[in-house]
Amino acid sequence: TSGLAEELLKELYTAYEIKDSPKYPSLDERITIAKTQDSLVSTYIKIFETANYAMLTQEYDLAVECYDYVITKFQSREIYNNYGVALYLKGVTMSDQEDIKYIYPIEIDLGSLKNSEGSKGMGDDVKGVFEQAIKMFEHAVERDKKYYTATLNIACVYSVLRDYRKAKFY
C-alpha cells in the first residue's frame, strides 16, 4: 500500500460522502497518519535489508542487533526466521569447528529450552546463542505452522547441539 493511502482515502471519502467530524480524525489528519506510518515501515524494511546484508558479510552481531530492533516494531515469520539464522551462525562462529562437523541446510528467508547432555565442547555462551536461535525459529513457526524453512532450521540447531531426538522430531 506504500504511497497509495492518500489517493485511496480521498476516493473513499468521495465515494461514501464522508464529512469531517470532530469525533474522528479529518481526511487531512488521516493522510498525515498514513504517510507517517508508510515512512516508518520503509525504515523498518531498510533495517531488515541491512540485517540481511550483514548476514552475507558475516557481521552476525550487527544482523542480530538489526533484527532485534525490527522485531520490537513489527513481527513476521521471516523476521523471526532470519533472526534465528543470525543467532545460529553467530553460535557457529563462536564454537570450536570440531563441535560442528557438518554444513547444515539452514535457510535465511528474503519457553526455555534445555539441551541434551550431548553438546559437550560448547560453552554455555555458545549454547545460549543456539537456544536463542531456536526461540526465533519457533516464533516464525507460531506465525505459520506450515513454514517449513524455520522447522528445518530448528532441526539443524538441535543437531548441532547433539540433541538428535529433538532434531529428528523436527
Side-chain angles (χ1 to χ4, degrees):
T1 62
S2 180
L4 301 175
E6 181 173 0
E7 183 180 333
L8 175 64
L9 286 168
K10 285 179 179 179
E11 287 189 28
L12 286 172
Y13 269 65
T14 301
Y16 290 98
E17 300 176 359
I18 299 172
K19 306 291 182 215
D20 283 341
S21 165
K23 294 181 182 181
Y24 302 102
S26 69
L27 173 60
D28 289 337
E29 291 171 323
R30 288 179 191 269
I31 290 171
T32 300
I33 291 167
K35 286 181 178 180
T36 301
Q37 291 305 310
D38 189 39
S39 176
L40 287 172
V41 169
S42 177
T43 300
Y44 302 147
I45 290 169
K46 288 176 186 171
I47 295 170
F48 177 75
E49 290 174 350
T50 298
N52 291 344
Y53 288 123
M55 297 273 284
L56 293 173
T57 60
Q58 299 178 355
E59 296 291 335
Y60 305 123
D61 286 328
L62 175 60
V64 165
E65 194 174 322
C66 289
Y67 292 131
D68 188 55
Y69 178 79
V70 173
I71 212 79
T72 64
K73 310 296 181 189
F74 180 80
Q75 296 84 39
S76 75
R77 66 182 202 172
E78 295 83 5
I79 297 169
Y80 278 114
N81 181 75
N82 291 6
Y83 193 172
V85 170
L87 289 164
Y88 168 82
L89 292 171
K90 178 180 176 179
V92 167
T93 61
M94 292 170 65
S95 176
D96 294 336
Q97 290 302 320
E98 293 176 15
D99 291 332
I100 304 170
K101 297 179 184 178
Y102 307 104
I103 297 174
Y104 292 91
I106 198 103
E107 295 183 14
I108 187 170
D109 189 331
L110 302 176
S112 177
L113 301 170
K114 296 194 177 194
N115 299 315
S116 72
E117 295 299 314
S119 58
K120 294 177 183 154
M122 283 189 207
D124 288 340
D125 56 336
V126 177
K127 286 192 279 188
V129 171
F130 285 126
E131 289 171 351
Q132 287 178 313
I134 289 169
K135 287 179 185 179
M136 292 305 121
F137 296 138
E138 287 176 338
H139 284 304
V141 172
E142 286 171 11
R143 285 179 161 51
D144 183 349
K145 301 289 185 218
K146 293 183 179 181
Y147 187 51
Y148 301 117
T149 294
T151 304
L152 173 64
N153 291 345
I154 293 170
C156 291
V157 176
Y158 276 126
S159 182
V160 165
L161 291 170
R162 297 190 181 129
D163 189 337
Y164 301 117
R165 183 183 59 80
K166 288 183 181 176
K168 185 176 179 181
F169 172 79
Y170 284 97

